[in-house]
């Protein structure tokens, strides 16, 4: 059998159950309920190294990918980074990028913390965005949510006892 390659789809079945996405998926091309896809991160040819930035005196711009441009994608946002740099912005903070159901949302109900919401352009678009920001001398900060998961695509309870009933919350239960 040949090893899996970039873009190959896969999933896991537990105890003869349905095939589910990998909870550590790097890409969910069909959304949080679809199969995972292999991502070869080494295939991307970076053009720009990380700028040497200091946090003292930093000027952050919090950016929601879905609303920053009419297209609502990382590539469209990357095309406007020069405007932010011209304002003196030193770091762009991207609001949560984890996959969530549908096209538009705040991202705070995402799953698969290592994947990028596909309508935003997926992991390759994030690499292009970071590369463009670094080319302008800007840093990129990610707003991440590790304390809860959205209900759609949250299959962790199938894979193990990751959650507790000791605390009651609308998050992280299916």
């Amino acid at each position: 059998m040949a090893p899996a390659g970039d873009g190959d789809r896969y999933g896991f079945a537990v105890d003869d159950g349905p095939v589910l996405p990998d909870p550590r998926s790097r890409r969910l091309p069909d959304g949080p309920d679809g199969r995972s896809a292999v991502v070869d991160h080494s295939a991307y040819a970076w053009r720009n190294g990380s700028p040497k930035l200091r946090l003292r005196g930093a000027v952050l711009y919090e950016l929601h990918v879905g609303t920053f441009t009419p297209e609502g994608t990382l590539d469209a946002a990357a095309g406007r980074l020069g405007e932010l740099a011209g304002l003196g912005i030193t770091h762009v903070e991207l609001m949560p990028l984890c996959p969530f159901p549908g096209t538009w949302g705040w991202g705070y109900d995402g799953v698969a913390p290592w994947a990028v919401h596909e309508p935003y352009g997926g992991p390759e678009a994030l690499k292009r965005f970071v590369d463009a920001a670094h080319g302008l001398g800007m840093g990129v900060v990610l707003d991440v949510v590790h304390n809860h998961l959205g209900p759609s695509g949250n299959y962790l309870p199938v894979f193990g006892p990751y959650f507790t009933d000791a605390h009651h919350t609308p998050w992280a239960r299916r």
Side-chain angles (χ1 to χ4, degrees), residues 31-33 99-102 109-112 149-155 173-174:
D33 293 307
F100 54 85
D109 58 347
V111 296
L149 300 169
S152 180
N154 177 13
Y155 298 106
R173 301 305 286 174
R174 185 159 176 87

Coordinates of all heavy atoms in Angstrom, one line a residue, residues 31-33 99-102 109-112 149-155 173-174:
G31 N -15.8 20.5 5.6 CA -16.4 21.0 6.9 C -16.2 20.1 8.0 O -15.6 19.0 7.9
P32 N -16.7 20.5 9.2 CA -16.4 19.8 10.4 C -17.0 18.4 10.5 O -16.5 17.6 11.3 CB -17.0 20.6 11.5 CG -17.8 21.6 10.9 CD -17.4 21.7 9.5
D33 N -17.9 18.0 9.6 CA -18.5 16.7 9.7 C -17.9 15.8 8.5 O -18.3 14.6 8.4 CB -20.0 16.8 9.5 CG -20.6 17.4 10.8 OD1 -20.3 16.9 11.9 OD2 -21.4 18.4 10.6
P99 N -12.3 25.1 11.8 CA -13.5 24.8 11.1 C -14.8 24.9 11.9 O -14.8 24.5 13.1 CB -13.3 23.4 10.6 CG -11.8 23.3 10.6 CD -11.3 24.0 11.7
F100 N -15.8 25.5 11.3 CA -17.1 25.5 12.0 C -18.1 25.3 10.8 O -17.8 25.4 9.7 CB -17.4 26.8 12.7 CG -17.1 28.1 11.9 CD1 -18.1 28.6 11.1 CD2 -15.9 28.7 11.9 CE1 -17.9 29.7 10.3 CE2 -15.7 29.8 11.1 CZ -16.7 30.4 10.3
P101 N -19.4 25.0 11.2 CA -20.4 24.7 10.1 C -20.7 26.0 9.4 O -20.7 27.1 9.9 CB -21.6 24.2 10.9 CG -21.4 24.7 12.3 CD -20.0 24.8 12.5
G102 N -21.0 25.8 8.1 CA -21.4 27.0 7.2 C -20.2 27.8 6.8 O -19.0 27.4 6.9
D109 N -17.0 28.6 17.8 CA -17.6 27.3 17.9 C -16.9 26.3 17.1 O -17.5 25.4 16.6 CB -19.1 27.4 17.6 CG -19.4 27.9 16.2 OD1 -18.4 28.4 15.5 OD2 -20.5 27.8 15.7
G110 N -15.7 26.5 16.8 CA -14.9 25.6 15.9 C -14.5 24.3 16.6 O -14.6 24.1 17.8
V111 N -14.1 23.4 15.7 CA -13.5 22.2 16.1 C -12.2 22.0 15.3 O -11.8 22.8 14.5 CB -14.4 21.0 15.8 CG1 -15.7 21.1 16.7 CG2 -14.8 20.9 14.4
A112 N -11.5 20.9 15.6 CA -10.2 20.7 14.9 C -9.2 21.8 15.0 O -9.0 22.6 14.1 CB -10.5 20.3 13.4
L149 N -15.4 23.5 22.4 CA -15.6 23.2 21.0 C -17.0 23.4 20.7 O -17.9 23.2 21.5 CB -15.2 21.7 20.8 CG -13.8 21.3 21.1 CD1 -13.7 19.8 21.1 CD2 -12.8 22.0 20.2
G150 N -17.3 23.7 19.4 CA -18.6 23.8 19.0 C -19.3 22.4 18.9 O -18.6 21.4 18.9
P151 N -20.6 22.4 18.8 CA -21.3 21.1 18.8 C -21.2 20.4 17.5 O -21.2 19.2 17.4 CB -22.8 21.5 19.1 CG -22.9 22.9 18.7 CD -21.5 23.5 18.9
S152 N -21.1 21.1 16.3 CA -21.1 20.5 15.0 C -19.6 20.0 14.8 O -18.7 20.8 14.8 CB -21.5 21.4 14.0 OG -21.4 20.8 12.7
G153 N -19.5 18.7 14.5 CA -18.1 18.2 14.2 C -17.4 17.8 15.5 O -16.2 17.4 15.4
N154 N -18.0 17.9 16.6 CA -17.2 17.6 17.9 C -17.4 16.1 18.1 O -18.4 15.7 18.8 CB -17.8 18.4 19.0 CG -17.1 18.0 20.3 OD1 -16.1 17.3 20.3 ND2 -17.6 18.5 21.4
Y155 N -16.5 15.3 17.6 CA -16.6 13.8 17.8 C -15.6 13.3 18.9 O -15.5 12.1 19.0 CB -16.3 13.2 16.5 CG -17.3 13.5 15.4 CD1 -16.9 14.4 14.4 CD2 -18.5 13.0 15.5 CE1 -17.8 14.7 13.4 CE2 -19.5 13.4 14.5 CZ -19.1 14.2 13.5 OH -20.1 14.6 12.5
R173 N -20.2 19.5 24.2 CA -21.0 18.3 24.4 C -21.7 18.0 23.1 O -22.0 18.9 22.3 CB -22.1 18.5 25.5 CG -21.5 18.8 26.8 CD -20.5 17.8 27.4 NE -21.2 16.6 27.8 CZ -20.6 15.6 28.2 NH1 -19.3 15.5 28.2 NH2 -21.3 14.5 28.6
R174 N -22.0 16.8 22.8 CA -22.7 16.4 21.6 C -23.9 15.7 21.9 O -24.0 14.9 22.7 CB -21.8 15.6 20.7 CG -22.4 15.4 19.3 CD -21.3 15.0 18.3 NE -21.9 14.7 17.1 CZ -22.2 15.5 16.1 NH1 -22.0 16.8 16.3 NH2 -22.7 15.1 15.0

